[in-house]
Amino acid sequence: MNTLENIPEEGTPLTLNDYKQKMIILRDKCLNYKNSHAFCKSFHFFCDKITKVSTLVLSSLTTYYITSHSSDEELSNEDLELDKRFTFATTFVSGINAIFTFSDKTETHKSLTSEYLKLYNEIDHIINSIFEEEEDSKSKELYDEFYNRFIALNGRTIDIGLMMYPKKKYNIS
């Protein structure tokens, strides 16, 4: 992976090759963020499905046990205790799903994944084709445009956050 070591210090005019190096670094950052958001999306999708299936199973069992008591027989303490436990478990799992909003986080990470990928592909296209033919002044404008879009996406990343594991795995500070 490229680093900023090859980029001249501030105040020194940048050449076309310097801007190309900066674009490569920015492209690689986009890929790291895309991969990190993809990991988070998969994790939240898994958690969303687990909590929703658990809620469905628990609420079905709760309804079954509560409605299975006939009105003629007296309820035993065991029946009441089982009904309470199923009701509590259903409420607890539903609450976990409501608190952590896994489906909302899945959609946000999915959106950010596609936007980082789009930006990555556009930067890659510039590096591999147009960038070779541009003048120094145009290369600065291109870099500034892509960098500003990256910063805007990064602001949305900060809003939703990233899990520690993908941040370390994809070298995001």
Side-chain angles (χ1 to χ4, degrees):
M1 184 192 274
N2 291 300
T3 64
L4 292 173
E5 295 168 359
N6 301 338
I7 307 299
E9 291 184 27
E10 190 150 342
T12 307
L14 298 178
T15 66
L16 182 63
N17 192 43
D18 294 333
Y19 280 110
K20 183 176 182 179
Q21 290 302 314
K22 288 177 81 162
M23 287 285 234
I24 290 169
I25 292 166
L26 187 60
R27 180 198 61 192
D28 293 345
K29 281 184 178 181
C30 286
L31 184 61
N32 287 343
Y33 275 90
K34 181 208 88 61
N35 289 336
S36 189
H37 281 289
F39 180 93
C40 291
K41 176 193 67 106
S42 297
F43 176 80
H44 290 296
F45 181 78
F46 175 76
C47 291
D48 184 51
K49 294 304 165 210
I50 292 294
T51 56
K52 285 182 178 174
V53 168
S54 298
T55 301
L56 175 65
V57 168
L58 288 168
S59 63
S60 297
L61 286 171
T62 302
T63 303
Y64 172 77
Y65 277 106
I66 289 174
T67 59
S68 68
H69 306 300
S70 69
S71 58
D72 297 342
E73 68 182 67
E74 189 160 322
L75 294 175
S76 69
N77 283 338
E78 287 177 3
D79 290 337
L80 289 173
E81 191 62 35
L82 189 59
D83 291 348
K84 282 191 242 178
R85 288 181 183 187
F86 275 129
T87 302
F88 173 78
T90 303
T91 305
F92 183 78
V93 173
S94 296
I96 292 293
N97 194 37
I99 290 169
F100 290 107
T101 60
F102 293 119
S103 56
D104 292 345
K105 289 179 182 176
T106 298
E107 287 305 312
T108 304
H109 283 292
K110 180 180 178 182
S111 170
L112 284 165
T113 297
S114 64
E115 290 184 50
Y116 275 111
L117 179 60
K118 180 181 176 190
L119 184 58
Y120 171 87
N121 287 332
E122 288 178 35
I123 293 171
D124 195 54
H125 174 71
I126 293 296
I127 291 169
N128 292 323
S129 62
I130 300 168
F131 205 89
E132 297 298 328
E133 304 163 6
E134 297 295 330
E135 305 167 8
D136 285 351
S137 62
K138 182 69 174 172
S139 59
K140 179 180 179 351
E141 291 171 17
L142 284 170
Y143 176 76
D144 288 343
E145 175 192 340
F146 288 125
Y147 185 77
N148 289 335
R149 287 175 55 198
F150 176 80
I151 292 300
L153 283 174
N154 206 16
R156 290 182 54 208
T157 294
I158 291 168
D159 289 343
I160 189 165
L162 290 170
M163 296 165 47
M164 289 304 296
Y165 175 73
K167 281 176 81 171
K168 287 182 181 181
K169 181 176 180 179
Y170 297 108
N171 198 26
I172 296 171
S173 50

